[in-house]
Amino acid sequence: MRHNRHLGTALALASLVGLTTTACFGPVGNSAGGGGQSVVFSNTGGALAEVFKQNAYAELSAKGITVSEESPNNEAKLTAMVQGGKPTWDVFYSTPYTAMGKCGTLFEKIDYTKIDTAGLDKSQLSDCGVPVLNSYFLLVYNKDKYGANPPTSWADFYDPVRFPGTRGIMNSPKDAGMETALLASGTPGDQLYPLDYDKAFATLDEIRPNVRFYDTGAQQTQGLQSGEIDMMLAWPGRAYDAAKSGAHLGVVYDKPLKYYDVLTIVKGAQHPDQAYALINALVGAKNQQAIVDRLPYGATNSQIPKSSNPDIDAFVADDTKAKGTIVVRDNDWWAKNLDEATRRWTKWVNG
């Protein structure tokens, strides 16, 4: 959404600052608000942030750089900060298409002479975004609910007659509701884009009475852990968190939709040098290895081997597990169409 079209609304949303979780790591005395050796990172929080803390932040702390962390990474708040001229965030955890679409307005162009790109997938580098992890949207289900007749495809997710039960979907167009609906309705993975909105929402309508929407990853984990959700269009890391806490989950690898996340430098960041240091630490070998060893994500650094932990591997899609072709998200399409996709998604959710 282009919140810069409505500056008053965006500035009002800045009041969310009081609800934002903040944590500081590193040498005492270098706070988020000052000190040349501080850097503020807005990310998704959760277990991934814990990995960052124990590895990338610790690495920077040894060099005298403090990382202050705020979550969630709310784009409306970011927009208000940048338009106000004094952003307090330096590095923002983002989708690649947001980094592309808002490059130069919300984000600074990356000076790649300051980034160690060894091992990074060059196709994932953009003017304003550096890749930090690879992942897939997955269908996760409650084994206790479905027993000997579990779902095996996206078509099953969108069929509440044969597979009754509650569905969980993140309340955002970027979280694959439209894409998986099209896959469920028979659209080939290599013909998803441009998205056929009418066809996607006709399929989504089939489960509308059964859907619960979530706004944060923590809510997603809680929904799976408590059993209030029978099937989830899931982030693998949040599903894995629920499984570790006792949720009896199965995973379907039907045409898994591949995506990656990026790191950006906020337009007008107060600590640009430290921002580059943080990005290098996050994409560096130590932090990347810790990500795959602790969570069901793939490293963006090709030099990092995947996890050998079977509990983690159960939530990681790859070519050997995929039923049907792995679908790669078209970030160029999303960069150009995010506003319209958001408008249509919001209308459907509230309709």
Side-chain angles (χ1 to χ4, degrees):
M1 291 176 286
R2 290 186 180 175
H3 297 279
N4 55 347
R5 291 179 179 174
H6 304 288
L7 180 56
T9 300
L11 291 173
L13 285 167
S15 62
L16 290 170
V17 66
L19 302 177
T20 302
T21 301
T22 305
C24 299
F25 310 99
V28 175
N30 290 325
S31 68
Q37 291 298 96
S38 66
V39 59
V40 185
F41 182 24
S42 176
N43 61 49
T44 60
L48 183 60
E50 188 63 24
V51 171
F52 295 163
K53 173 185 174 182
Q54 294 175 1
N55 295 276
Y57 303 173
E59 179 182 322
L60 293 179
S61 179
K63 299 177 181 179
I65 298 175
T66 301
V67 179
S68 298
E69 182 181 82
E70 293 192 11
S71 66
N73 50 330
N74 183 286
E75 188 182 332
K77 181 178 175 182
L78 172 66
T79 302
M81 282 183 178
V82 172
Q83 291 178 340
K86 294 184 178 180
T88 59
W89 295 345
D90 299 301
V91 178
F92 185 81
Y93 191 101
S94 179
T95 62
Y97 49 84
T98 300
M100 293 173 183
K102 303 298 176 67
C103 189
T105 55
L106 289 185
F107 308 114
E108 300 282 1
K109 288 193 174 181
I110 299 293
D111 179 353
Y112 277 101
T113 66
K114 298 180 180 180
I115 299 291
D116 182 358
T117 60
L120 298 183
D121 184 342
K122 300 304 186 290
S123 71
Q124 294 182 340
L125 303 177
S126 69
D127 285 347
C128 285
V130 181
V132 66
L133 63 76
N134 285 297
S135 191
Y136 300 82
F137 292 104
L138 297 175
L139 195 175
V140 177
Y141 64 90
N142 185 330
K143 287 184 176 181
D144 296 328
K145 168 75 174 182
Y146 296 105
N149 183 39
T152 61
S153 68
W154 289 120
D156 294 342
F157 184 83
Y158 289 96
D159 186 349
V161 177
R162 292 182 58 235
F163 296 90
T166 54
R167 269 67 168 169
I169 298 180
M170 296 297 288
N171 189 13
S172 170
K174 71 180 180 63
D175 284 303
M178 290 183 290
E179 284 138 316
T180 57
L182 288 170
L183 292 172
S185 64
T187 302
D190 61 356
Q191 297 178 31
L192 273 183
Y193 305 94
L195 295 186
D196 184 333
Y197 294 115
D198 292 339
K199 186 176 181 181
F201 288 117
T203 302
L204 281 157
D205 282 341
E206 296 298 316
I207 62 168
R208 185 64 182 85
N210 309 89
V211 171
R212 294 185 184 178
F213 296 105
Y214 294 96
D215 297 310
T216 68
Q219 292 173 346
Q220 186 180 135
T221 299
Q222 178 59 32
L224 289 168
Q225 191 175 315
S226 66
E228 69 184 60
I229 290 299
D230 299 311
M231 291 191 210
M232 177 76 77
L233 172 48
W235 298 348
R238 294 301 187 169
Y240 173 63
D241 287 346
K244 284 198 303 178
S245 298
H248 196 204
L249 302 179
V251 183
V252 177
Y253 302 102
D254 181 38
K255 304 179 190 69
L257 181 64
K258 184 176 182 179
Y259 68 93
Y260 62 94
D261 294 336
V262 301
L263 303 167
T264 63
I265 296 178
V266 174
K267 185 76 173 177
Q270 297 180 46
H271 308 105
D273 292 338
Q274 290 71 34
Y276 279 104
L278 175 59
I279 291 174
N280 278 315
L282 290 166
V283 302
K286 180 181 178 182
N287 191 68
Q288 289 284 301
Q289 188 66 64
I291 290 173
V292 300
D293 286 345
R294 291 268 306 277
L295 297 168
Y297 296 121
T300 54
N301 190 324
S302 62
Q303 300 168 356
I304 304 301
K306 73 174 191 175
S307 173
S308 60
N309 184 330
D311 294 331
I312 292 175
D313 187 62
F315 291 90
V316 179
D318 58 33
D319 290 328
T320 65
K321 297 175 186 173
K323 174 188 172 185
T325 305
I326 287 176
V327 181
V328 179
R329 169 166 273 177
D330 186 335
N331 290 302
D332 289 331
W333 184 90
W334 273 101
K336 296 171 184 174
N337 293 279
L338 179 59
D339 290 345
E340 177 63 10
T342 300
R343 184 188 70 79
R344 290 182 180 246
W345 178 267
T346 302
K347 180 180 179 181
W348 177 74
V349 169
N350 296 325

